[in-house]
Amino acid sequence: MVRLSDRFSRAVFRRIRATSPDRAAGMEAERHRLAALSVARAFGMAIHPKATRCRFNWDGVALYGATEAFVILHEVAHFTLAPPERRGLVEFGLGPGPDTLDRAGAERAVTLSPLEREADEAAASLLGIIWEAALGQPALASFLDQNWLEGLEGSAPAHFTAVLAMLRRSGAFNLPLAPSASTAPRRGRGPRCLSRWPSPLLRHSES
């Protein structure tokens, strides 16, 4: 925290830090998954039926939804950050991810250089983690698993701040629907609907 250079970075990190470092399990994990799927639908992503055997997390048409919430939110982040031409490619033209079954097929679809892929992965990683925090899910677990504390005494704070600044410039914090889902009915609407309240995390400014 003390090595972060601006108020916005500290505010985002504070929200992540306040979440659980442990993955959810059982019914709680399923509630998180359904909330993440509601976010995916709100951003216009089609989702394969749960029983579908998918070779990719994203096959250029629809999302593999029978996975953990943090994986789904990571893929939604890739979708929102990708230009239209890459949304139609398997794994967004980034190559195979940890869960990709058809690794050769994903490699054939790659369109970015290694450095561009690394930058895109960092942006999607942090945006997905921020959405986990906004949803009250264990964002800190993802923050730790995805190595955001590597180089804590040197590069980690600067890298976090730089990626966060890039996300702000991209307009990722000005999306039309705040990623704040609820599994409880509210005001006559059904479960797993997307709430339209603006997240304080995304409204925070440096002023």
Side-chain angles (χ1 to χ4, degrees), residues 40 43-46 58 60-61 73-84 86-88 92 120 124 131:
F43 286 118
M45 298 179 79
W58 172 255
V61 176
L73 292 173
H74 182 81
E75 296 304 318
V76 179
H78 274 306
F79 181 84
T80 61
L81 294 171
R86 279 205 293 111
R87 291 181 179 180
F92 305 102
D120 195 278
W131 287 350

Side-chain angles (χ1 to χ4, degrees), residues 92-171:
F92 305 102
L94 296 167
D99 302 323
T100 303
L101 298 180
D102 185 356
R103 303 186 71 80
E107 288 287 0
R108 288 193 297 271
V110 169
T111 61
L112 300 182
S113 71
L115 283 178
E116 290 171 324
R117 290 159 70 179
E118 183 178 335
D120 195 278
E121 284 294 345
S125 169
L126 188 53
L127 185 57
I129 289 168
I130 289 168
W131 287 350
E132 285 185 80
L135 288 163
Q137 297 185 10
L140 184 55
S142 295
F143 196 78
L144 297 171
D145 288 350
Q146 296 171 34
N147 300 317
W148 281 94
L149 291 184
E150 276 192 359
L152 183 59
E153 297 304 316
S155 60
H159 180 57
F160 177 83
T161 300
V163 175
L164 192 59
M166 187 281 291
L167 288 172
R168 294 189 81 186
R169 291 193 300 270
S170 75

